[in-house]
Amino acid sequence: MPNYDTHVLSGIVTYPIAVLIGELLKVYAKLPIELTSTALILGYAFYVLGSDLPDMDHPDALIHRGSKPIVSVAAGSAVFLWARGFVHMNPAWLDPVVSWVAGALAGLVAWYAFTWLMPKHRGIVHSLLFAGIYGLLAFLLVEYGLKMSTGEGIFVGLSAFLGYTLHLALDRSVKLV
């Protein structure tokens, strides 16, 4: 099976195929795809990340070890944002400290939960279902998180899906679920 370098380098060099697919869908299928410079750059990032992302279900994989702190920081930050609306200490300067204690505990829980909840290697994470979920999340991030246009979001979501699918194809393990 291909290793980290093979997956990522394949993503780096095959991205023009994703751009071609985007252009063809825009011109011939009349999809409202927008290939702006920003969408193309974000599409590249999501494509290359997707080219190794299915291996996040392997505890020794670099992408697993890299994703784990990102998930922990995201969970901790989300809990901090939630807690700061409820924490009212005296003196008031304790509010952010106590809110971050709650956030740090959530980050710690997320750290261990990430590996514990991850399915077996080459299980459901190695599927077109998860490729679609990854593409959808990329679309939602671009359109609603970054406030870019729907057409840009469609292209970035498509790129994410195609990069993830590239990994599955290189593993010779393309399955629906």
Side-chain angles (χ1 to χ4, degrees):
M1 289 291 142
N3 63 15
Y4 171 79
D5 287 346
T6 302
H7 282 299
V8 174
L9 291 173
S10 295
I12 289 170
V13 301
T14 63
Y15 180 65
I17 296 169
V19 175
L20 173 65
I21 291 169
E23 288 286 2
L24 292 173
L25 289 172
K26 177 183 174 182
V27 172
Y28 294 107
K30 305 289 188 220
L31 292 180
I33 292 176
E34 292 179 51
L35 293 108
T36 63
S37 295
T38 304
L40 288 164
I41 291 167
L42 284 173
Y44 192 37
F46 277 96
Y47 184 86
V48 173
L49 177 63
S51 71
D52 197 50
L53 198 57
D55 280 341
M56 72 179 163
D57 63 1
H58 191 293
D60 294 329
L62 182 60
I63 194 79
H64 177 91
R65 291 178 291 160
S67 300
K68 203 169 173 177
I70 292 169
V71 168
S72 297
V73 167
S77 298
V79 168
F80 160 75
L81 290 172
W82 172 81
R84 73 179 185 170
F86 293 99
V87 174
H88 303 292
M89 304 294 292
N90 191 7
W93 58 264
L94 279 173
D95 291 356
V97 176
V98 172
S99 297
W100 271 114
V101 167
L105 290 173
L108 183 65
V109 168
W111 178 269
Y112 290 103
F114 183 81
T115 301
W116 183 70
L117 292 172
M118 198 56 63
K120 71 178 179 68
H121 186 53
R122 292 214 174 83
I124 194 167
V125 175
H126 270 72
S127 70
L128 289 173
L129 171 65
F130 264 72
I133 291 170
Y134 176 58
L136 178 63
L137 290 173
F139 167 78
L140 293 171
L141 173 70
V142 168
E143 183 163 1
Y144 297 103
L146 300 177
K147 307 281 191 230
M148 294 172 64
S149 73
T150 300
E152 290 170 311
I154 291 171
F155 178 72
V156 174
L158 173 67
S159 296
F161 173 80
L162 292 172
Y164 203 103
T165 303
L166 171 66
H167 180 106
L168 303 177
L170 289 171
D171 278 357
R172 296 187 186 124
S173 178
V174 180
K175 56 189 178 191
L176 290 176
V177 179

